[in-house]
């Protein structure tokens, strides 16, 4: 079983602060995705990283895939109240049957106070 | 374009009753996924289909759960009989296919919140 551990589980910060969310596993993934979910809605894909060491930026969000493709981080610069939500990482199975099947982390609930 | 459509959005039922959740994927998407989300277990994949054929149902919790995809534009997840521990939000997602780098770009529906009393 491939497990993904996210930390922290909860994050409550003031507008303008920076934050980092971590996603770790002992398993290797072919790719890793980050989703954002708002209350009453389904997760929305933010980014997919596919190469070890890859860094992708999406405005104030920076995503990094670990060199060994076992971990990832999401860094938000100057957080805004609109960033509030549940952030989920998901790793795609690297091989075998059900190649590409996603395993989700437990999620990080981010609250940004004005 | 319409996204993934799920119905009903909310369902409250009594233990022992049959529950049917419905999903209409995005047109042209060949893959359909059913997930369950709870506070305790997070988001779990139950089953997924490729071109209407079930590929992996290893996440289906037990025989009370069944899923079908009779055509490319419709899928159902049925629970019979339902139990209080089935209470969760059930999501359907669709994908155009496995990308070159080995991942599915998934588009999620709004979910069905199921409460079994």
């Amino acid at each position: 079983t491939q497990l993904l551990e996210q930390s922290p589980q909860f994050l409550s910060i003031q507008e303008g602060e920076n934050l980092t969310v971590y996603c770790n596993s002992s398993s290797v993934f072919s790719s890793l995705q980050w989703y954002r979910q708002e209350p009453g809605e389904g997760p929305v894909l933010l980014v997919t990283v596919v190469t070890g060491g890859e860094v992708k930026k999406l405005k104030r969000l920076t995503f990094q895939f670990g060199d060994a493709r076992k971990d990832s981080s999401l860094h938000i610069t100057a957080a805004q109240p609109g960033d509030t939500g549940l952030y989920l990482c998901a790793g795609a199975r690297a091989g075998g049957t059900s190649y590409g099947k996603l395993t989700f982390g437990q999620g990080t609930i981010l609250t940004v106070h004005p | 374009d319409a996204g993934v459509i799920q119905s009903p959005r909310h369902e409250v039922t009594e233990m022992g009753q049959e529950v049917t959740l419905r999903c209409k994927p995005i047109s042209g998407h060949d893959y359909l996924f059913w997930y369950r989300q709870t506070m305790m277990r997070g988001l779990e994949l139950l089953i997924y289909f490729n071109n209407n054929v079930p590929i992996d149902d290893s996440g289906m919790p037990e025989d009370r759960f069944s899923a079908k995809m009779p055509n490319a534009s419709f899928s159902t997840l049925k629970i019979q009989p339902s139990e209080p521990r089935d209470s969760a939000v059930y999501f359907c997602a669709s994908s155009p296919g496995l990308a070159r780098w080995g991942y599915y770009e998934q588009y999620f529906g709004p979910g069905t919140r199921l409460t079994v009393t």
Side-chain angles (χ1 to χ4, degrees):
Chain A
T1 303
Q2 296 182 305
L3 297 176
L4 273 170
E5 294 185 3
Q6 275 188 248
S7 62
Q9 282 188 298
F10 302 93
L11 201 49
S12 180
I13 61 172
Q14 293 296 124
E15 182 176 0
E17 293 184 9
N18 301 332
L19 67 110
T20 302
V21 177
Y22 299 93
C23 180
N24 296 292
S25 176
S26 58
S27 302
V28 176
F29 295 99
S30 64
S31 62
L32 201 135
Q33 299 180 332
W34 285 91
Y35 290 80
R36 179 165 166 262
Q37 184 178 12
E38 297 194 31
E41 298 181 9
V44 175
L45 179 64
L46 296 174
V47 77
T48 304
V49 284
V50 301
T51 307
E54 182 177 2
V55 177
K56 277 192 174 179
K57 291 192 175 183
L58 187 66
K59 296 183 180 178
R60 295 176 292 101
L61 278 61
T62 302
F63 306 85
Q64 185 163 7
F65 202 9
D67 291 340
R69 292 187 290 137
K70 294 182 179 181
D71 56 86
S72 181
S73 64
L74 158 61
H75 183 79
I76 301 179
T77 303
Q80 299 178 0
D83 295 328
T84 294
L86 173 67
Y87 288 82
L88 295 160
C89 65
R93 185 169 296 184
T97 57
S98 300
Y99 178 61
K101 177 179 172 180
L102 288 181
T103 298
F104 280 82
Q106 288 288 84
T108 296
I109 297 176
L110 171 65
T111 304
V112 183
H113 301 280
Chain B
D1 288 338
V4 175
I5 299 172
Q6 290 188 248
S7 64
R9 291 295 311 274
H10 301 273
E11 177 80 40
V12 180
T13 190
E14 292 184 348
M15 181 174 63
Q17 296 298 306
E18 176 179 298
V19 175
T20 299
L21 311 182
R22 296 172 176 80
C23 175
K24 176 178 170 57
I26 294 172
S27 178
H29 282 191
D30 293 334
Y31 286 81
L32 184 140
F33 304 81
W34 281 102
Y35 289 89
R36 177 172 68 174
Q37 186 174 41
T38 62
M39 286 294 293
M40 289 297 295
R41 300 175 68 89
L43 197 60
E44 302 174 282
L45 177 65
L46 300 178
I47 184 171
Y48 72 101
F49 296 83
N50 177 24
N51 291 323
N52 314 336
V53 176
I55 301 300
D56 185 338
D57 65 355
S58 59
M60 295 287 262
E62 49 198 272
D63 292 345
R64 298 184 297 106
F65 285 69
S66 62
K68 294 182 179 179
M69 193 165 185
N71 57 62
S73 59
F74 183 66
S75 178
T76 60
L77 178 67
K78 186 176 293 186
I79 308 173
Q80 166 63 19
S82 59
E83 296 182 4
R85 60 193 169 116
D86 300 331
S87 296
V89 181
Y90 291 81
F91 288 101
C92 174
S94 69
S95 173
L98 192 63
R100 174 187 168 196
W101 292 101
Y103 63 88
Y104 298 102
E105 188 169 299
Q106 298 189 29
Y107 297 81
F108 282 78
T112 295
R113 180 173 294 277
L114 173 65
T115 303
V116 183
T117 61

